[in-house]
Amino acid sequence: METAREESAQGSEDDAAQEDATSVADVSVEVATVDATLNKLCRRYNRRRRRAKKIKKKNPILDLQNLAILITVVVFVIVVIMWSLLWVFIFRRESNSGVYFAGMFRVANVEFIPEYRHADSSEFVSMANRIQHVITSVYRTSSVSRLYKQTVISDLSNNNQGGVLVHFWMIFVVPHLKGPSVCEDCVSAILKDSVHMSLKNRSSVGFLQGLPVDIDSILVNVALRSDYSSTAVGSQCVDKLYAGVPDVSIPLNVFSSWGGLSCYIKLTSAPGSVIRLTVKSFRIDPSDCVYDALTVYDSLLPMRGMILFRFCEPVSAPISLVSTSNVMLLSFRLTQGNKIFQGLFQALMEEQCMNMIALPAGPGDAGVITSPFNPSLLPRQCSCTWMFQMPSSALGVALRFQNYMLKLKDLQNCEHGWWKVNEIIYCGNYVDHSTVFRIPAQNPEVVFRCSSRSAAQPFSATYSSYNTSQPCPEGHFLCSTGLCVEKFRRCDGLDDCQDESDEIFCSKPPKICESSSPLHPLYICNGEMDCSSGKDEINCTQETSCSGVSYQCGNGACILKKNAKCDGLPDCYDRSDEKDCACGNPTPSKRVSDSAATQQRIVGGINALEGEWPWQVSMHFSGQLYCGASALSDEWLISAAHCFSKERLADPRMWMAHLGMLNQGNAKHVAEIRRFVVHEYYNARNFDYDIALVQLKKAWPSSLAQYIQPICLPAPSQTFTEGHRCWVTGWGYRSEQDKVLPTVLQKAEVSIISQSECKRSYGAISPRMLCAGVPSGEQDACRGDSGGPLSCQAHSGGRWFLTGIVSWGSGCGRPNLPGVYTRVAKFIDWIQRHIQNL
Ligand code: 4AZ
């Protein structure tokens, strides 16, 4: 076919060549008659066209080919045109994106005039122009000059340190590829360097083209374009309020008619004062600040480094917080709905926190020291000094804190307060119990500095004198928390010291069953027959005084039976112990072959069976398994705080919960997350309070009850004595060196380890922690299992309880280094405070 076409094309070319030769001869002969020649040429041209047509008719393939070429050319041209248009109008525009910075600095030696408060006054405009000009010339002569676009002065306010505080926006236009060249640190450094070069006489004020700028006050933060446009001059949603007279309350109310918008209120107060904001009530949908939020800034622009506090949950009891200087910004983000904020603000004169305290010699509390502005939240920056004077050198000062504890400072920074007590440095930390800090000196000086990034819980401490040679009264034991407890409480099975220091290294209490003296409380009604006569397990439903080892019924009465909850027997008079027990009872699954069930896997684990752990959840961050969790209800999961506490991990939109799953990727239900409730005392250094609740956006459908089921929460009194066997489950690594996660859910059997033994292994074990493992270490949890359950049954066939949450450990599967779990029984009140109707 192809050869035939080539041949015919060759033939026609020869004919044409022949004709051309003839025509040249013809023209040369008949040169006289032009008309005739033209006629002849026309005839010849027509003849040639007819012949060409004949050839084309003869060859339709050639026709198609030309058409194809034509179409290709047309399409190509269209694509080129469209691509050019796209590049010109979209990519070119997008590849030059704006980068926005919010900044502030103090202009010293300039007197503030009230007209500066109004952006439309000529005084503001003239001052703003001057500052704008200075900033512009700094950046126009810097390494980022080509990217710098403009500076907009947003606010001029009077400042407690004197001069004028300037808040400004800076805009850079950056081609995508050059993005990093306008990093926050670089932009900030350019301004600081310029001031630094002009510093004189060891002062912090440098002169930028005659403008006296305080280098210590410079702060530049990258910000959102939307923040710029919504706070810009002329925005509909910015309100400015001023408190000129101290202690006068000015009401602040925001209603849902603002719904769906980002609105701002800028507060300023007279120089020398600070601002106290009181939130009386705030009605929003709790959503981890994703949808509704009030963010309070210690500045007049939304600067990340100046966040004082974020309200992401509804507020019903008043909370107040205090700014560091005389400015504050409230940024409301409210979605549609009935959202209401009610509060007030007032100017307060700055406190000089310097106290001389002379203590009387007698016993008992002599007074109270508090954090500045208590009960307002602890400010971001503050300093207080207390100088105590004791009447005798034999006496020292005892400070009894409510929810706070001082610990010797180590290499790390203090996050919740920095203390200097007689030249020794301590860090403050929040705890959920009281502590006593003793200073064995006659005239100690105690200095406190706030050191948190945002406002924190306030503290107070009662002070009293104590005898330095005998801190506790006669017959008392000194706990590591500084508390004094009666000696007979040592080793009684109850955590009287709040840090178990009265319960560690106790010899195992003897089981004296025959004597008339009472049996150790550990053995009474713990569900195990400790005396052959069974006397330790009789009359367990009889009411007793309430304590940490008794079960509290719904009506408030307490019974001796420790594990009364959901054990199938109504023990409480009001039968409340058997209420809400639709949990921890997996539907029996078909038995799998023994070979599958005994296949050795991770740190002694084996494949779990379908439906065996229906509360097990796999938490995926950015599409990857990151942690485990357990279902508590159709809307709430429970996991470890460390899974969600870092900034990057705290965004619920990045997470998905996979429920009713045995093999990764085969979840019966995948749920979006509404919010995380991370324990407020979670300590990232030692993993104390490592617990978090996870609220799903939507409840999982009840039709999946066969595959997804909640686990039972233990009662606060629940005890599983050492050696009790439980199971840890998860899709975490199978060894420390493992690089591949298992597909099938793994389960490993581990034994509860006594707190004393756990402390022997690790030292710093808090009462909120629990160890479980096997001496060889062969069965253990590992990376990826965190947040998942340690499930325990009181007896075979009984319901399963969430005794622990996988938290930490030294490596995985190491001998005598068991897994450390969050002790869930310690958090029942906390869980119930956040999940009503559980
Ligand atoms: C972890 O990194 C982790 N062997 C969890 C548990 C254990 C160790 C590490 C316990 O998530």
Side-chain angles (χ1 to χ4, degrees), residues 780-784 786 806 808-809 811-812 819:
D780 195 9
C782 201
R783 215 148 37 88
S786 276
V806 180
W808 63 280
C812 307

Side-chain angles (χ1 to χ4, degrees), residues 319-538:
I319 305 180
S320 62
L321 43 105
V322 180
S323 64
T324 312
S325 69
N326 58 335
V327 293
M328 189 184 264
L329 172 73
L330 313 185
S331 160
F332 287 93
R333 202 172 59 215
L334 301 176
T335 50
Q336 298 291 337
N338 192 18
K339 313 288 164 63
I340 299 175
F341 169 89
Q342 287 177 311
L344 54 91
F345 80 104
Q346 61 202 138
L348 300 178
M349 289 324 283
E350 275 188 291
E351 266 183 20
Q352 283 306 318
C353 197
M354 172 72 82
N355 307 274
M356 301 278 281
I357 300 171
L359 270 88
D365 292 340
V368 183
I369 60 167
T370 63
S371 53
F373 303 109
N374 190 296
S376 296
L377 298 182
L378 199 60
R380 282 172 71 238
Q381 285 172 30
C382 68
S383 173
C384 271
T385 303
W386 297 277
M387 283 179 284
F388 293 96
Q389 288 170 340
M390 311 307 295
S392 141
S393 61
L395 298 176
V397 187
L399 299 174
R400 187 187 181 95
F401 290 94
Q402 283 308 311
N403 290 95
Y404 199 71
M405 182 168 170
L406 302 195
K407 269 179 94 178
L408 259 182
K409 185 183 178 310
D410 52 21
L411 290 175
Q412 316 231 31
N413 274 338
C414 297
E415 277 183 10
H416 300 294
W418 179 97
W419 294 77
K420 191 165 82 174
V421 182
N422 277 350
E423 304 304 318
I424 300 173
I425 315 280
Y426 299 84
C427 288
N429 260 318
Y430 296 99
V431 285
D432 62 355
H433 55 81
S434 51
T435 62
V436 178
F437 183 77
R438 290 191 177 75
I439 312 165
Q442 190 178 2
N443 295 317
E445 184 187 78
V446 177
V447 180
F448 167 72
R449 294 247 163 86
C450 299
S451 62
S452 37
R453 259 179 276 142
S454 56
Q457 288 302 311
F459 65 79
S460 68
T462 53
Y463 54 82
S464 56
S465 58
Y466 79 99
N467 189 342
T468 49
S469 59
Q470 193 192 349
C472 286
E474 197 68 51
H476 281 67
F477 167 78
L478 177 62
C479 309
S480 314
T481 47
L483 302 173
C484 298
V485 300
E486 288 116 317
K487 277 204 172 126
F488 67 83
R489 296 197 185 276
R490 175 136 165 72
C491 299
D492 67 350
L494 286 173
D495 178 16
D496 304 291
C497 281
Q498 311 284 346
D499 66 348
E500 295 174 334
S501 50
D502 57 326
E503 294 299 320
I504 50 159
F505 310 123
C506 299
S507 52
K508 207 170 172 189
K511 290 181 192 172
I512 309 167
C513 295
E514 271 63 55
S515 120
S516 57
S517 57
L519 197 62
H520 192 280
L522 267 182
Y523 300 124
I524 296 174
C525 299
N526 65 355
E528 282 165 28
M529 191 88 89
D530 295 293
C531 294
S532 54
S533 62
K535 78 171 217 183
D536 56 311
E537 294 295 320
I538 55 166

Side-chain angles (χ1 to χ4, degrees), residues 180-197:
S181 63
V182 283
C183 69
E184 188 177 276
D185 287 346
C186 325
V187 172
S188 174
I190 289 168
L191 195 54
K192 284 185 183 168
D193 285 353
S194 307
V195 179
H196 195 253
M197 283 193 295

